[in-house]
Amino acid sequence: SQQGEEDPQALSIQEGENATMNCSYKTSINNLQWYRQNSGRGLVHLILIRSNEREKHSGRLRVTLDTSKKSSSLLITASRAADTASYFCATDAGGSYIPTFGRGTSLIVHP
Amino acid sequence: DARVTQTPRHKVTEMGQEVTMRCQPILGHNTVFWYRQTMMQGLELLAYFRNRAPLDDSGMPKDRFSAEMPDATLATLKIQPSEPRDSAVYFCASGTAGGPLEQYFGPGTRLTVT
């Protein structure tokens, strides 16, 4: 299965701190995406990184991809209470580009 | 602001009843997904369509679940008969195929089967 596994399962930090979440996967991928899910809502796309890219930034988000280790990390800098959510990685492989989701990291940012 | 819409948002029903969930994908998106999310199993892909044709429904219990796209603006997911283990949040998502597929999720239908 291409399903990514996020680590840690849960993360609790104070506002202003950085939050780092990791995603590991088993076999070669085309792309890796990160999504956020606020409680009671649908998932929202955050960022996509292709297999030939090593790092991408979007605002306070920084994503890295290490294909040799089959892992990715999502860094949220200067976290805010509004960043409290679950974060999922999704990988795709082969020609279908259909993403497969991990189980997510639950992030709580305390004001 | 284009969004995926889902109805109903909440549904409580008794075991054995038929449940129909509806989704309106974003206009112009040609790929539609149905997911189920539970605490135990996480986010499971049930089925997806491309250009209204079902491409994969291997994640769906065939005996009781069915998914259709009667037209480009409507996708439906039916459960008949429903069982308590079907209680979950069901999400519809849409996107445009032809490369890395960014999915746009609806708000979900929270189904409770008693």
mmCIF file of all heavy atoms in Angstrom, chain A residues 3 31 33 35 37 40-45 48 50 88 92 95-99 101-103, chain B residues 9 31 33 35 37 39-43 45 48 50 91 99-103 105-107 110:
data_model
loop_
_atom_site.group_PDB
_atom_site.id
_atom_site.type_symbol
_atom_site.label_atom_id
_atom_site.label_comp_id
_atom_site.label_asym_id
_atom_site.label_seq_id
_atom_site.Cartn_x
_atom_site.Cartn_y
_atom_site.Cartn_z
ATOM 1 N N GLN A 3 -0.008 3.944 1.397
ATOM 2 C CA GLN A 3 -0.475 4.796 2.484
ATOM 3 C C GLN A 3 0.687 5.335 3.298
ATOM 4 O O GLN A 3 1.551 4.592 3.766
ATOM 5 C CB GLN A 3 -1.406 3.989 3.391
ATOM 6 C CG GLN A 3 -2.031 4.812 4.499
ATOM 7 C CD GLN A 3 -2.978 3.992 5.355
ATOM 8 O OE1 GLN A 3 -2.664 2.884 5.710
ATOM 9 N NE2 GLN A 3 -4.119 4.541 5.664
ATOM 10 N N ASN A 31 4.060 11.982 -6.192
ATOM 11 C CA ASN A 31 3.825 13.235 -5.495
ATOM 12 C C ASN A 31 3.416 12.973 -4.047
ATOM 13 O O ASN A 31 2.903 11.882 -3.739
ATOM 14 C CB ASN A 31 2.681 14.017 -6.164
ATOM 15 C CG ASN A 31 2.892 14.188 -7.638
ATOM 16 O OD1 ASN A 31 3.656 15.048 -8.071
ATOM 17 N ND2 ASN A 31 2.228 13.364 -8.432
ATOM 18 N N GLN A 33 1.297 15.109 -0.890
ATOM 19 C CA GLN A 33 0.525 16.298 -0.534
ATOM 20 C C GLN A 33 0.282 16.316 0.973
ATOM 21 O O GLN A 33 0.233 15.265 1.605
ATOM 22 C CB GLN A 33 -0.832 16.291 -1.259
ATOM 23 C CG GLN A 33 -0.720 16.227 -2.773
ATOM 24 C CD GLN A 33 -2.078 16.212 -3.430
ATOM 25 O OE1 GLN A 33 -2.882 17.118 -3.233
ATOM 26 N NE2 GLN A 33 -2.345 15.183 -4.224
ATOM 27 N N TYR A 35 -2.559 17.875 3.752
ATOM 28 C CA TYR A 35 -3.884 18.436 3.932
ATOM 29 C C TYR A 35 -4.099 18.739 5.410
ATOM 30 O O TYR A 35 -3.517 18.104 6.289
ATOM 31 C CB TYR A 35 -4.968 17.443 3.490
ATOM 32 C CG TYR A 35 -5.112 17.250 1.998
ATOM 33 C CD1 TYR A 35 -4.205 16.470 1.286
ATOM 34 C CD2 TYR A 35 -6.177 17.838 1.309
ATOM 35 C CE1 TYR A 35 -4.352 16.291 -0.078
ATOM 36 C CE2 TYR A 35 -6.332 17.650 -0.062
ATOM 37 C CZ TYR A 35 -5.417 16.880 -0.745
ATOM 38 O OH TYR A 35 -5.564 16.694 -2.105
ATOM 39 N N GLN A 37 -7.275 19.273 8.351
ATOM 40 C CA GLN A 37 -8.689 19.070 8.655
ATOM 41 C C GLN A 37 -9.005 19.675 10.010
ATOM 42 O O GLN A 37 -8.525 19.199 11.042
ATOM 43 C CB GLN A 37 -9.067 17.596 8.655
ATOM 44 C CG GLN A 37 -10.557 17.358 8.883
ATOM 45 C CD GLN A 37 -10.938 15.893 8.875
ATOM 46 O OE1 GLN A 37 -10.162 15.020 9.256
ATOM 47 N NE2 GLN A 37 -12.149 15.590 8.422
ATOM 48 N N GLY A 40 -14.679 18.699 12.498
ATOM 49 C CA GLY A 40 -16.009 18.787 11.910
ATOM 50 C C GLY A 40 -16.046 19.303 10.485
ATOM 51 O O GLY A 40 -17.125 19.581 9.963
ATOM 52 N N ARG A 41 -14.892 19.412 9.855
ATOM 53 C CA ARG A 41 -14.838 19.957 8.494
ATOM 54 C C ARG A 41 -14.197 18.962 7.540
ATOM 55 O O ARG A 41 -13.640 17.940 7.951
ATOM 56 C CB ARG A 41 -14.019 21.243 8.483
ATOM 57 C CG ARG A 41 -14.484 22.314 9.448
ATOM 58 C CD ARG A 41 -15.630 23.099 8.897
ATOM 59 N NE ARG A 41 -16.011 24.216 9.736
ATOM 60 C CZ ARG A 41 -15.609 25.450 9.535
ATOM 61 N NH1 ARG A 41 -14.782 25.735 8.549
ATOM 62 N NH2 ARG A 41 -16.039 26.401 10.336
ATOM 63 N N GLY A 42 -14.268 19.289 6.260
ATOM 64 C CA GLY A 42 -13.564 18.500 5.262
ATOM 65 C C GLY A 42 -12.084 18.861 5.212
ATOM 66 O O GLY A 42 -11.649 19.837 5.808
ATOM 67 N N LEU A 43 -11.318 18.046 4.519
ATOM 68 C CA LEU A 43 -9.886 18.310 4.401
ATOM 69 C C LEU A 43 -9.634 19.471 3.442
ATOM 70 O O LEU A 43 -10.365 19.655 2.470
ATOM 71 C CB LEU A 43 -9.152 17.070 3.891
ATOM 72 C CG LEU A 43 -8.858 15.971 4.904
ATOM 73 C CD1 LEU A 43 -10.106 15.248 5.342
ATOM 74 C CD2 LEU A 43 -7.830 14.988 4.341
ATOM 75 N N VAL A 44 -8.579 20.202 3.724
ATOM 76 C CA VAL A 44 -8.187 21.335 2.896
ATOM 77 C C VAL A 44 -6.753 21.122 2.435
ATOM 78 O O VAL A 44 -5.862 20.837 3.243
ATOM 79 C CB VAL A 44 -8.305 22.664 3.675
ATOM 80 C CG1 VAL A 44 -7.755 23.824 2.851
ATOM 81 C CG2 VAL A 44 -9.752 22.918 4.068
ATOM 82 N N HIS A 45 -6.537 21.263 1.131
ATOM 83 C CA HIS A 45 -5.202 21.070 0.573
ATOM 84 C C HIS A 45 -4.276 22.191 1.028
ATOM 85 O O HIS A 45 -4.632 23.373 0.986
ATOM 86 C CB HIS A 45 -5.298 21.059 -0.955
ATOM 87 C CG HIS A 45 -3.995 20.832 -1.637
ATOM 88 N ND1 HIS A 45 -3.192 21.851 -2.086
ATOM 89 C CD2 HIS A 45 -3.338 19.686 -1.919
ATOM 90 C CE1 HIS A 45 -2.109 21.354 -2.633
ATOM 91 N NE2 HIS A 45 -2.176 20.037 -2.547
ATOM 92 N N LEU A 48 1.660 20.701 -2.226
ATOM 93 C CA LEU A 48 2.037 19.511 -2.979
ATOM 94 C C LEU A 48 3.522 19.577 -3.275
ATOM 95 O O LEU A 48 4.029 20.640 -3.654
ATOM 96 C CB LEU A 48 1.250 19.419 -4.285
ATOM 97 C CG LEU A 48 1.569 18.269 -5.237
ATOM 98 C CD1 LEU A 48 0.316 17.828 -5.976
ATOM 99 C CD2 LEU A 48 2.645 18.634 -6.244
ATOM 100 N N ARG A 50 6.516 17.403 -5.467
ATOM 101 C CA ARG A 50 6.730 16.346 -6.437
ATOM 102 C C ARG A 50 7.972 15.545 -6.050
ATOM 103 O O ARG A 50 8.839 16.030 -5.319
ATOM 104 C CB ARG A 50 6.883 16.922 -7.840
ATOM 105 C CG ARG A 50 5.667 17.703 -8.292
ATOM 106 C CD ARG A 50 5.911 18.454 -9.583
ATOM 107 N NE ARG A 50 4.855 19.424 -9.833
ATOM 108 C CZ ARG A 50 3.794 19.188 -10.575
ATOM 109 N NH1 ARG A 50 3.637 18.008 -11.139
ATOM 110 N NH2 ARG A 50 2.880 20.124 -10.752
ATOM 111 N N PHE A 88 -2.791 15.642 7.441
ATOM 112 C CA PHE A 88 -2.675 14.371 6.738
ATOM 113 C C PHE A 88 -1.692 14.498 5.577
ATOM 114 O O PHE A 88 -1.687 15.506 4.880
ATOM 115 C CB PHE A 88 -4.029 13.952 6.148
ATOM 116 C CG PHE A 88 -5.086 13.651 7.161
ATOM 117 C CD1 PHE A 88 -5.840 14.670 7.725
ATOM 118 C CD2 PHE A 88 -5.343 12.351 7.554
ATOM 119 C CE1 PHE A 88 -6.827 14.401 8.660
ATOM 120 C CE2 PHE A 88 -6.326 12.057 8.476
ATOM 121 C CZ PHE A 88 -7.070 13.098 9.031
ATOM 122 N N ASP A 92 0.779 9.568 -3.992
ATOM 123 C CA ASP A 92 0.280 8.880 -5.172
ATOM 124 C C ASP A 92 1.443 8.283 -5.943
ATOM 125 O O ASP A 92 2.570 8.761 -5.865
ATOM 126 C CB ASP A 92 -0.563 9.806 -6.063
ATOM 127 C CG ASP A 92 0.247 10.897 -6.730
ATOM 128 O OD1 ASP A 92 0.932 10.600 -7.739
ATOM 129 O OD2 ASP A 92 0.215 12.035 -6.240
ATOM 130 N N GLY A 95 0.294 5.714 -12.610
ATOM 131 C CA GLY A 95 -0.279 6.654 -13.558
ATOM 132 C C GLY A 95 -1.616 7.246 -13.168
ATOM 133 O O GLY A 95 -2.119 8.135 -13.852
ATOM 134 N N SER A 96 -2.198 6.784 -12.046
ATOM 135 C CA SER A 96 -3.550 7.251 -11.745
ATOM 136 C C SER A 96 -3.567 8.577 -11.001
ATOM 137 O O SER A 96 -4.555 9.287 -11.040
ATOM 138 C CB SER A 96 -4.295 6.208 -10.918
ATOM 139 O OG SER A 96 -3.779 6.164 -9.586
ATOM 140 N N TYR A 97 -2.478 8.905 -10.299
ATOM 141 C CA TYR A 97 -2.393 10.117 -9.482
ATOM 142 C C TYR A 97 -3.473 10.178 -8.415
ATOM 143 O O TYR A 97 -3.803 11.260 -7.926
ATOM 144 C CB TYR A 97 -2.466 11.384 -10.354
ATOM 145 C CG TYR A 97 -1.286 11.521 -11.282
ATOM 146 C CD1 TYR A 97 -1.420 11.268 -12.643
ATOM 147 C CD2 TYR A 97 -0.039 11.902 -10.802
ATOM 148 C CE1 TYR A 97 -0.344 11.390 -13.499
ATOM 149 C CE2 TYR A 97 1.044 12.025 -11.650
ATOM 150 C CZ TYR A 97 0.886 11.776 -12.986
ATOM 151 O OH TYR A 97 1.964 11.904 -13.837
ATOM 152 N N ILE A 98 -4.029 9.043 -8.029
ATOM 153 C CA ILE A 98 -5.032 9.035 -6.978
ATOM 154 C C ILE A 98 -4.316 9.006 -5.627
ATOM 155 O O ILE A 98 -3.591 8.059 -5.336
ATOM 156 C CB ILE A 98 -5.965 7.818 -7.109
ATOM 157 C CG1 ILE A 98 -6.652 7.832 -8.475
ATOM 158 C CG2 ILE A 98 -6.984 7.797 -5.963
ATOM 159 C CD1 ILE A 98 -7.490 9.061 -8.731
ATOM 160 N N PRO A 99 -4.497 10.034 -4.791
ATOM 161 C CA PRO A 99 -3.788 10.067 -3.510
ATOM 162 C C PRO A 99 -4.346 9.056 -2.516
ATOM 163 O O PRO A 99 -5.545 8.806 -2.491
ATOM 164 C CB PRO A 99 -4.033 11.497 -3.005
ATOM 165 C CG PRO A 99 -4.631 12.243 -4.145
ATOM 166 C CD PRO A 99 -5.289 11.243 -5.011
ATOM 167 N N PHE A 101 -4.356 8.454 1.641
ATOM 168 C CA PHE A 101 -4.138 9.239 2.847
ATOM 169 C C PHE A 101 -3.629 8.401 4.005
ATOM 170 O O PHE A 101 -4.020 7.243 4.175
ATOM 171 C CB PHE A 101 -5.446 9.923 3.262
ATOM 172 C CG PHE A 101 -5.857 11.039 2.352
ATOM 173 C CD1 PHE A 101 -6.545 10.778 1.182
ATOM 174 C CD2 PHE A 101 -5.534 12.357 2.656
ATOM 175 C CE1 PHE A 101 -6.912 11.797 0.330
ATOM 176 C CE2 PHE A 101 -5.899 13.388 1.817
ATOM 177 C CZ PHE A 101 -6.597 13.111 0.655
ATOM 178 N N GLY A 102 -2.809 9.038 4.848
ATOM 179 C CA GLY A 102 -2.416 8.456 6.111
ATOM 180 C C GLY A 102 -3.478 8.718 7.162
ATOM 181 O O GLY A 102 -4.562 9.216 6.864
ATOM 182 N N ARG A 103 -3.164 8.385 8.412
ATOM 183 C CA ARG A 103 -4.144 8.516 9.489
ATOM 184 C C ARG A 103 -4.080 9.865 10.186
ATOM 185 O O ARG A 103 -4.929 10.178 11.009
ATOM 186 C CB ARG A 103 -3.973 7.381 10.480
ATOM 187 C CG ARG A 103 -4.221 6.020 9.875
ATOM 188 C CD ARG A 103 -4.210 4.965 10.932
ATOM 189 N NE ARG A 103 -5.329 5.156 11.849
ATOM 190 C CZ ARG A 103 -6.437 4.458 11.825
ATOM 191 N NH1 ARG A 103 -6.592 3.512 10.938
ATOM 192 N NH2 ARG A 103 -7.396 4.689 12.693
ATOM 193 N N ARG B 9 -26.169 17.270 5.817
ATOM 194 C CA ARG B 9 -24.976 17.406 6.644
ATOM 195 C C ARG B 9 -24.993 16.398 7.785
ATOM 196 O O ARG B 9 -23.932 15.917 8.211
ATOM 197 C CB ARG B 9 -24.876 18.809 7.221
ATOM 198 C CG ARG B 9 -24.616 19.888 6.182
ATOM 199 C CD ARG B 9 -23.226 19.742 5.534
ATOM 200 N NE ARG B 9 -22.179 19.588 6.530
ATOM 201 C CZ ARG B 9 -21.600 20.582 7.170
ATOM 202 N NH1 ARG B 9 -21.968 21.822 6.922
ATOM 203 N NH2 ARG B 9 -20.642 20.339 8.078
ATOM 204 N N THR B 31 -13.169 14.604 -11.775
ATOM 205 C CA THR B 31 -12.940 13.432 -10.932
ATOM 206 C C THR B 31 -13.631 13.654 -9.592
ATOM 207 O O THR B 31 -13.466 14.710 -8.981
ATOM 208 C CB THR B 31 -11.438 13.186 -10.735
ATOM 209 O OG1 THR B 31 -10.804 13.133 -12.012
ATOM 210 C CG2 THR B 31 -11.193 11.858 -10.031
ATOM 211 N N PHE B 33 -14.675 11.777 -5.788
ATOM 212 C CA PHE B 33 -14.332 10.723 -4.843
ATOM 213 C C PHE B 33 -15.366 10.658 -3.725
ATOM 214 O O PHE B 33 -15.910 11.684 -3.319
ATOM 215 C CB PHE B 33 -12.977 11.008 -4.178
ATOM 216 C CG PHE B 33 -11.832 11.180 -5.131
ATOM 217 C CD1 PHE B 33 -11.610 12.391 -5.751
ATOM 218 C CD2 PHE B 33 -10.954 10.136 -5.371
ATOM 219 C CE1 PHE B 33 -10.541 12.567 -6.616
ATOM 220 C CE2 PHE B 33 -9.876 10.299 -6.225
ATOM 221 C CZ PHE B 33 -9.673 11.517 -6.853
ATOM 222 N N TYR B 35 -15.316 9.227 0.245
ATOM 223 C CA TYR B 35 -14.516 8.707 1.342
ATOM 224 C C TYR B 35 -15.407 8.494 2.560
ATOM 225 O O TYR B 35 -16.433 9.150 2.724
ATOM 226 C CB TYR B 35 -13.427 9.707 1.763
ATOM 227 C CG TYR B 35 -12.306 9.910 0.784
ATOM 228 C CD1 TYR B 35 -12.371 10.923 -0.163
ATOM 229 C CD2 TYR B 35 -11.164 9.118 0.840
ATOM 230 C CE1 TYR B 35 -11.316 11.128 -1.054
ATOM 231 C CE2 TYR B 35 -10.102 9.322 -0.048
ATOM 232 C CZ TYR B 35 -10.203 10.329 -0.986
ATOM 233 O OH TYR B 35 -9.162 10.535 -1.854
ATOM 234 N N GLN B 37 -14.849 8.343 6.855
ATOM 235 C CA GLN B 37 -13.868 8.608 7.902
ATOM 236 C C GLN B 37 -14.426 8.154 9.237
ATOM 237 O O GLN B 37 -15.512 8.558 9.646
ATOM 238 C CB GLN B 37 -13.509 10.090 7.969
ATOM 239 C CG GLN B 37 -12.368 10.385 8.942
ATOM 240 C CD GLN B 37 -11.962 11.848 8.941
ATOM 241 O OE1 GLN B 37 -12.806 12.739 8.865
ATOM 242 N NE2 GLN B 37 -10.656 12.112 9.009
ATOM 243 N N MET B 39 -12.932 6.989 13.426
ATOM 244 C CA MET B 39 -11.776 7.023 14.319
ATOM 245 C C MET B 39 -10.939 5.765 14.158
ATOM 246 O O MET B 39 -9.709 5.818 14.181
ATOM 247 C CB MET B 39 -12.247 7.154 15.766
ATOM 248 C CG MET B 39 -12.829 8.505 16.103
ATOM 249 S SD MET B 39 -11.593 9.806 16.029
ATOM 250 C CE MET B 39 -10.586 9.366 17.427
ATOM 251 N N MET B 40 -11.600 4.646 13.986
ATOM 252 C CA MET B 40 -10.881 3.366 13.936
ATOM 253 C C MET B 40 -10.114 3.179 12.635
ATOM 254 O O MET B 40 -8.978 2.736 12.631
ATOM 255 C CB MET B 40 -11.863 2.207 14.122
ATOM 256 C CG MET B 40 -12.481 2.125 15.503
ATOM 257 S SD MET B 40 -11.250 1.793 16.768
ATOM 258 C CE MET B 40 -10.777 0.118 16.351
ATOM 259 N N GLN B 41 -10.744 3.507 11.523
ATOM 260 C CA GLN B 41 -10.158 3.195 10.206
ATOM 261 C C GLN B 41 -9.523 4.394 9.520
ATOM 262 O O GLN B 41 -8.850 4.246 8.499
ATOM 263 C CB GLN B 41 -11.232 2.606 9.285
ATOM 264 C CG GLN B 41 -11.852 1.310 9.793
ATOM 265 C CD GLN B 41 -10.845 0.187 9.908
ATOM 266 O OE1 GLN B 41 -9.887 0.116 9.150
ATOM 267 N NE2 GLN B 41 -11.037 -0.689 10.877
ATOM 268 N N GLY B 42 -9.755 5.573 10.053
ATOM 269 C CA GLY B 42 -9.225 6.758 9.384
ATOM 270 C C GLY B 42 -10.037 7.071 8.139
ATOM 271 O O GLY B 42 -11.230 6.821 8.085
ATOM 272 N N LEU B 43 -9.373 7.606 7.117
ATOM 273 C CA LEU B 43 -10.032 8.030 5.881
ATOM 274 C C LEU B 43 -9.908 6.907 4.857
ATOM 275 O O LEU B 43 -8.807 6.567 4.438
ATOM 276 C CB LEU B 43 -9.365 9.301 5.375
ATOM 277 C CG LEU B 43 -10.088 10.125 4.327
ATOM 278 C CD1 LEU B 43 -11.372 10.693 4.902
ATOM 279 C CD2 LEU B 43 -9.188 11.256 3.852
ATOM 280 N N LEU B 45 -11.010 5.366 1.105
ATOM 281 C CA LEU B 45 -11.557 5.650 -0.216
ATOM 282 C C LEU B 45 -12.584 4.583 -0.565
ATOM 283 O O LEU B 45 -12.273 3.399 -0.584
ATOM 284 C CB LEU B 45 -10.447 5.682 -1.268
ATOM 285 C CG LEU B 45 -10.882 5.896 -2.710
ATOM 286 C CD1 LEU B 45 -11.511 7.279 -2.884
ATOM 287 C CD2 LEU B 45 -9.695 5.733 -3.660
ATOM 288 N N TYR B 48 -14.401 6.160 -6.797
ATOM 289 C CA TYR B 48 -14.193 7.420 -7.498
ATOM 290 C C TYR B 48 -14.602 7.300 -8.958
ATOM 291 O O TYR B 48 -14.631 6.210 -9.528
ATOM 292 C CB TYR B 48 -12.772 7.953 -7.331
ATOM 293 C CG TYR B 48 -11.673 7.232 -8.059
ATOM 294 C CD1 TYR B 48 -11.255 7.635 -9.330
ATOM 295 C CD2 TYR B 48 -10.999 6.184 -7.452
ATOM 296 C CE1 TYR B 48 -10.218 6.994 -9.969
ATOM 297 C CE2 TYR B 48 -9.961 5.537 -8.086
ATOM 298 C CZ TYR B 48 -9.565 5.941 -9.338
ATOM 299 O OH TYR B 48 -8.531 5.302 -9.976
ATOM 300 N N ARG B 50 -14.392 9.250 -12.927
ATOM 301 C CA ARG B 50 -13.733 10.194 -13.822
ATOM 302 C C ARG B 50 -14.642 10.387 -15.015
ATOM 303 O O ARG B 50 -15.058 9.402 -15.644
ATOM 304 C CB ARG B 50 -12.366 9.695 -14.262
ATOM 305 C CG ARG B 50 -11.609 10.690 -15.153
ATOM 306 C CD ARG B 50 -10.135 10.468 -15.100
ATOM 307 N NE ARG B 50 -9.612 10.733 -13.773
ATOM 308 C CZ ARG B 50 -8.485 10.198 -13.295
ATOM 309 N NH1 ARG B 50 -7.771 9.362 -14.021
ATOM 310 N NH2 ARG B 50 -8.076 10.490 -12.085
ATOM 311 N N PHE B 91 -17.338 11.783 3.128
ATOM 312 C CA PHE B 91 -16.884 12.960 2.411
ATOM 313 C C PHE B 91 -16.911 12.714 0.911
ATOM 314 O O PHE B 91 -16.576 11.629 0.430
ATOM 315 C CB PHE B 91 -15.441 13.320 2.798
ATOM 316 C CG PHE B 91 -15.301 13.887 4.177
ATOM 317 C CD1 PHE B 91 -14.834 13.105 5.226
ATOM 318 C CD2 PHE B 91 -15.634 15.216 4.422
ATOM 319 C CE1 PHE B 91 -14.695 13.631 6.495
ATOM 320 C CE2 PHE B 91 -15.496 15.741 5.703
ATOM 321 C CZ PHE B 91 -15.032 14.955 6.738
ATOM 322 N N GLY B 99 -2.764 14.937 -13.941
ATOM 323 C CA GLY B 99 -1.513 15.224 -13.246
ATOM 324 C C GLY B 99 -1.759 15.065 -11.767
ATOM 325 O O GLY B 99 -2.757 14.460 -11.359
ATOM 326 N N PRO B 100 -0.888 15.601 -10.936
ATOM 327 C CA PRO B 100 -1.115 15.510 -9.490
ATOM 328 C C PRO B 100 -2.496 16.054 -9.143
ATOM 329 O O PRO B 100 -2.857 17.146 -9.557
ATOM 330 C CB PRO B 100 -0.014 16.402 -8.903
ATOM 331 C CG PRO B 100 1.026 16.446 -9.943
ATOM 332 C CD PRO B 100 0.328 16.345 -11.263
ATOM 333 N N LEU B 101 -3.224 15.276 -8.382
ATOM 334 C CA LEU B 101 -4.637 15.570 -8.185
ATOM 335 C C LEU B 101 -4.864 16.224 -6.834
ATOM 336 O O LEU B 101 -4.902 15.546 -5.815
ATOM 337 C CB LEU B 101 -5.449 14.272 -8.311
ATOM 338 C CG LEU B 101 -6.828 14.420 -8.910
ATOM 339 C CD1 LEU B 101 -7.303 13.079 -9.411
ATOM 340 C CD2 LEU B 101 -7.798 14.958 -7.893
ATOM 341 N N GLU B 102 -5.047 17.535 -6.842
ATOM 342 C CA GLU B 102 -5.415 18.253 -5.627
ATOM 343 C C GLU B 102 -6.903 18.082 -5.429
ATOM 344 O O GLU B 102 -7.695 18.395 -6.326
ATOM 345 C CB GLU B 102 -5.063 19.725 -5.774
ATOM 346 C CG GLU B 102 -5.503 20.579 -4.603
ATOM 347 C CD GLU B 102 -5.185 22.048 -4.819
ATOM 348 O OE1 GLU B 102 -4.248 22.339 -5.597
ATOM 349 O OE2 GLU B 102 -5.872 22.898 -4.222
ATOM 350 N N GLN B 103 -7.276 17.577 -4.275
ATOM 351 C CA GLN B 103 -8.677 17.305 -4.015
ATOM 352 C C GLN B 103 -9.309 18.410 -3.191
ATOM 353 O O GLN B 103 -8.719 18.915 -2.243
ATOM 354 C CB GLN B 103 -8.822 15.972 -3.282
ATOM 355 C CG GLN B 103 -8.344 14.784 -4.103
ATOM 356 C CD GLN B 103 -8.608 13.476 -3.420
ATOM 357 O OE1 GLN B 103 -9.675 13.246 -2.874
ATOM 358 N NE2 GLN B 103 -7.633 12.595 -3.431
ATOM 359 N N PHE B 105 -12.464 19.009 -0.824
ATOM 360 C CA PHE B 105 -13.404 18.225 -0.046
ATOM 361 C C PHE B 105 -14.655 19.015 0.302
ATOM 362 O O PHE B 105 -14.606 20.224 0.560
ATOM 363 C CB PHE B 105 -12.762 17.755 1.270
ATOM 364 C CG PHE B 105 -11.864 16.565 1.102
ATOM 365 C CD1 PHE B 105 -10.617 16.694 0.526
ATOM 366 C CD2 PHE B 105 -12.270 15.310 1.536
ATOM 367 C CE1 PHE B 105 -9.774 15.581 0.368
ATOM 368 C CE2 PHE B 105 -11.436 14.201 1.392
ATOM 369 C CZ PHE B 105 -10.198 14.345 0.809
ATOM 370 N N GLY B 106 -15.773 18.297 0.340
ATOM 371 C CA GLY B 106 -16.993 18.861 0.872
ATOM 372 C C GLY B 106 -16.979 18.823 2.393
ATOM 373 O O GLY B 106 -16.042 18.297 2.999
ATOM 374 N N PRO B 107 -18.036 19.357 3.020
ATOM 375 C CA PRO B 107 -18.084 19.422 4.485
ATOM 376 C C PRO B 107 -18.422 18.096 5.145
ATOM 377 O O PRO B 107 -18.296 17.959 6.355
ATOM 378 C CB PRO B 107 -19.186 20.449 4.749
ATOM 379 C CG PRO B 107 -20.076 20.343 3.562
ATOM 380 C CD PRO B 107 -19.181 20.027 2.402
ATOM 381 N N ARG B 110 -22.489 13.495 8.253
ATOM 382 C CA ARG B 110 -22.295 12.671 9.446
ATOM 383 C C ARG B 110 -23.478 11.737 9.574
ATOM 384 O O ARG B 110 -24.608 12.172 9.806
ATOM 385 C CB ARG B 110 -22.168 13.538 10.704
ATOM 386 C CG ARG B 110 -21.921 12.726 11.978
ATOM 387 C CD ARG B 110 -21.668 13.621 13.166
ATOM 388 N NE ARG B 110 -20.413 14.358 13.020
ATOM 389 C CZ ARG B 110 -19.212 13.883 13.333
ATOM 390 N NH1 ARG B 110 -19.094 12.644 13.818
ATOM 391 N NH2 ARG B 110 -18.147 14.621 13.178
#
